[in-house]
Amino acid sequence: MNFSIRSAGFVVALMAIAAVAGYGVGRRHGRSAADAHLEAAAPARIASTRLTPPLAAATYVGGHWPKNFINAFRRERVADDFARLRSDGFNAVVLLVSWGDFQPVFDPCCRYDERAFERLEYLLDRAAEAGLDVVLRVGYGWTFHPDAGDVGTRTQRLLNESGVRGAFAAYAARIGAIARKHANVRLTLLSWEDLWLHAVDPAGRADFERFVATLPDGDAKRAASGGGVPVQTGDDPTLFNAYWDWLMMQQVFEPLARRLPNLSYEARIDREPLFKVDGAGVKSISAWIGHETTYRPPGADVISLYWAPFWGARNQGETLDADQSLRLFGRLLDDVRQHSGGLPMFIDQLNIIDNTLGFEHNATLQPAAYAGFVSGALCTMRKAGVFGYAYWTTSDYAESPLYNPAFAYALDGWTLAADGTPGAQRLQARPSGDFDLRLRAGDRLSQTIPARRGRFPGRRDQGPVPARVCVATRDVAAAEIEVAAGAAPVHLAIAAGTSRTCADITTAPVGDNLELALRMLDGSADLTDVMLFDHVQQGGLHGFDGADGVLLAPLRSLNRAFTDTTPAQATCGR
């Protein structure tokens, strides 16, 4: 689940709940002149998805937070990282392609950041050299780009305004053109959790009325629509969710499928409760609202989904054994297969260990059950028609909200006070195309972190918690750096050589901002990375400190068995 916007109320024990009846997916009516122009210029969609060989993929985040991936990875590490994926048995990699990083300004349409496109092509080339196929998660929601604005506002406007969808389609067309140039791009992917609709704005009224027109006479949702008056989230959740699903399929997915090769859709497999209150004021669940109509996206020949041990469980802090988790896993796959018409499945987020903040009550897999679950998952997936999966994170990562933390974009996002020396003169170009930043005694480097990047490290709803700061350096003789994050500073003694030095730190935001400041007290150092965080997301394969994790051996075995297509491995039984 990582950092997705899924509340506990949406996690449902489907073995005890009947599926909610779906509505017929209506065809799209009416196009704006801008939409028509874009569609006329769009290349024809590739008719089929290459389903072989089976995909054993891993989401690549380049040693940083996925929310900040494209401007954070260092080129010099990519070849080794991809080689390690291959040695772990993976034959593909998922790359997160954030709309806001590539097209930070969509109104007026459009301003692009060409650096992001160039870095994406770099990754695609290195993946090809490593023998890795690629899945592009296009439309990834998070971005720290200073020109991209608030993530929630971007998404809300996209789902309510046809003009913004035109800009989004133009961005997708550029990504699609890149994907078609690279034979190793096997799939492109949209995810429901990147496109979360919170309300129907007045600008979305026309789309809402088109949706209502697709409903048959006598449908309860047509009556609940109030004659086409836009609804808000809480007005009628059944109507709202039905509209959201229709909007995603007809107004977002279908137009983008003409621009992106082999486009799939990560369907929302969680269901949310419909509550009722009886005469005594007692609140209970009367039904569950599902999203099965998105399991068969228009024209798609693959359906994508996610899985973690919490799915279908009570989620009251319980731990599950291997057989329990395998039963829930198999039930989910059967449900998706039934409602998708038997489409091949790609599990784009496979989570076995999940320590996502805020979801501590979710069911987890017992550590003693890891190997048993992974072994059984092979047969469960093969029997259900899963042609591929992507493990969420093979390397534990720190949730650090710094923009451009490794200076890939020179000093964008940073302020350097260096005794009058232009900051550009302190950037040390590397043969890889990366930059190091040379700090000398007396220099001060700072970045202001706005609240829109999520949450501030060291502060949570439960109260202050310790944060941690890490500075990676290269070729240091010896140096001392003072670091502050709005509170008492800490001192980092940088040892000789190349290293990552960390210390606990107290943070104190001022209003909607938190400033991180580094001051070189003594010596000099070439900085390669800076991180500020209070949580490390775990995957169980390679630790934040580089140590092997408890899932490394089982996942390696699964990867190799799943991608083995020899006749002896063609059938599977437990």
Side-chain angles (χ1 to χ4, degrees):
M1 184 167 55
N2 55 85
F3 42 81
S4 52
I5 321 172
R6 299 177 185 139
S7 73
F10 299 157
V11 179
V12 182
L14 291 185
M15 74 289 287
I17 300 167
V20 177
Y23 57 85
V25 177
R27 298 296 295 172
R28 202 164 80 116
H29 298 288
R31 293 176 171 86
S32 69
D35 289 340
H37 173 74
L38 280 168
E39 291 173 12
R45 181 180 178 275
I46 293 177
S48 63
T49 299
R50 292 168 287 164
L51 301 178
T52 54
L55 285 177
T59 302
Y60 180 65
V61 298
H64 286 270
W65 201 2
K67 292 183 178 184
N68 199 29
F69 159 64
I70 198 67
N71 65 72
F73 74 85
R74 291 188 68 90
R75 296 168 187 258
E76 62 194 15
R77 299 172 187 162
V78 171
D80 287 345
D81 290 346
F82 284 178
R84 186 168 73 173
L85 290 181
R86 290 292 294 172
S87 69
D88 288 342
F90 294 102
N91 66 1
V93 61
V94 176
L95 301 177
L96 305 173
V97 186
S98 168
W99 175 31
D101 278 320
F102 287 76
Q103 189 193 69
V105 177
F106 60 82
D107 187 14
C109 183
C110 298
R111 182 153 61 84
Y112 298 91
D113 192 328
E114 299 300 333
R115 299 171 299 185
F117 290 94
E118 190 273 335
R119 286 169 69 79
L120 174 62
E121 294 223 46
Y122 180 87
L123 290 169
L124 293 173
D125 289 340
R126 301 293 82 72
E129 292 170 358
L132 292 169
D133 283 334
V134 177
V135 176
L136 297 179
R137 181 170 165 180
V138 180
Y140 181 68
W142 279 98
T143 178
F144 293 165
H145 197 292
D147 297 333
D150 178 75
V151 171
T153 300
R154 292 177 69 93
T155 304
Q156 182 71 2
R157 291 192 61 188
L158 171 67
L159 296 180
N160 279 281
E161 301 177 29
S162 62
V164 178
R165 289 198 292 273
F168 189 63
Y171 148 73
R174 285 200 61 178
I175 299 297
I178 291 173
R180 289 182 176 88
K181 285 168 42 183
H182 295 268
N184 58 330
V185 176
R186 289 271 297 277
L187 285 174
T188 56
L189 173 71
L190 284 182
S191 169
W192 72 272
E193 67 176 305
D194 297 337
L195 299 167
W196 185 289
L197 179 66
H198 293 282
V200 184
D201 294 339
R205 182 186 186 106
D207 287 325
F208 181 76
E209 291 175 347
R210 289 190 195 103
F211 160 69
V212 172
T214 69
L215 301 175
D217 293 338
D219 190 296
K221 292 187 289 295
R222 179 186 280 272
S225 70
V229 177
V231 295
Q232 305 300 314
T233 308
D235 292 340
D236 186 317
T238 303
L239 173 63
F240 181 83
N241 281 280
Y243 170 64
W244 180 16
D245 291 345
W246 175 89
L247 183 72
M248 288 300 304
M249 294 295 95
Q250 303 305 313
Q251 305 293 336
V252 179
F253 183 89
E254 187 180 26
L256 263 61
R258 291 189 286 274
R259 295 163 172 81
L260 294 163
N262 299 333
L263 183 63
S264 182
Y265 180 72
E266 183 204 69
R268 184 177 175 188
I269 57 172
D270 301 323
R271 295 177 180 172
E272 68 178 281
L274 180 63
F275 292 101
K276 67 176 180 180
V277 180
D278 64 19
V282 177
K283 188 176 183 180
S284 62
I285 297 173
S286 63
W288 293 88
I289 302 169
H291 301 268
E292 289 82 4
T293 54
T294 66
Y295 291 11
R296 198 183 299 190
D301 47 19
V302 168
I303 184 62
S304 297
L305 62 148
Y306 49 90
W307 186 83
F310 66 79
W311 191 91
R314 295 190 309 272
N315 293 299
Q316 297 173 356
E318 72 270 29
T319 59
L320 307 174
D321 62 30
D323 286 340
Q324 289 173 308
S325 284
L326 287 168
R327 283 196 298 272
L328 294 176
F329 190 30
R331 196 165 283 128
L332 166 64
L333 297 179
D334 288 345
D335 184 71
V336 173
R337 187 172 180 82
Q338 173 190 348
H339 288 96
S340 71
L343 286 179
M345 286 179 271
F346 176 62
I347 304 173
D348 70 285
Q349 291 188 59
L350 178 63
N351 296 272
I352 296 173
I353 293 176
D354 185 7
N355 67 325
T356 304
L357 285 178
F359 294 87
E360 290 78 10
H361 58 280
N362 277 357
T364 58
L365 193 60
Q366 297 168 4
Y370 291 158
F373 172 82
V374 172
S375 176
L378 173 66
C379 296
T380 300
M381 290 190 290
R382 278 187 171 161
K383 289 177 179 178
V386 174
F387 87 94
Y389 57 83
Y391 198 68
W392 172 248
T393 181
T394 61
S395 297
D396 296 355
Y397 57 80
E399 297 187 349
S400 173
L402 293 170
Y403 172 69
N404 187 29
F407 313 108
Y409 290 179
L411 284 170
D412 280 10
W414 295 97
T415 299
L416 175 63
D419 296 330
T421 303
Q425 293 184 14
R426 294 295 183 85
L427 291 168
Q428 310 298 306
R430 303 287 302 171
S432 60
D434 294 320
F435 291 105
D436 298 347
L437 178 64
R438 179 159 297 168
L439 291 186
R440 296 173 179 159
D443 291 350
R444 185 181 189 273
L445 178 71
S446 64
Q447 182 171 145
T448 298
I449 304 167
R452 66 177 177 84
R453 293 184 189 169
R455 60 179 182 81
F456 294 130
R459 294 181 65 85
R460 301 183 195 151
D461 293 341
Q462 300 92 331
V465 297
R468 197 154 178 81
V469 61
C470 292
V471 175
T473 54
R474 187 199 315 272
D475 299 333
V476 177
E480 184 176 1
I481 301 177
E482 178 185 85
V483 185
V490 298
H491 287 194
L492 300 179
I494 310 297
T498 300
S499 64
R500 181 168 67 189
T501 307
C502 303
D504 289 343
I505 190 170
T506 301
T507 65
V510 177
D512 289 336
N513 295 299
L514 172 66
E515 184 190 56
L516 176 70
L518 296 82
R519 187 164 64 93
M520 182 65 72
L521 298 179
D522 186 49
S524 66
D526 289 351
L527 273 60
T528 60
D529 293 273
V530 182
M531 295 182 181
L532 177 69
F533 60 96
D534 60 14
H535 178 71
V536 173
Q537 190 72 19
Q538 298 171 359
L541 274 67
H542 299 284
F544 186 66
D545 61 358
D548 290 350
V550 293
L551 271 176
L552 182 58
L555 254 295
R556 283 176 168 171
S557 296
L558 174 63
N559 292 340
R560 290 174 179 131
F562 189 82
T563 56
D564 186 349
T565 57
T566 59
Q569 296 295 328
T571 59
C572 184
R574 291 191 68 221

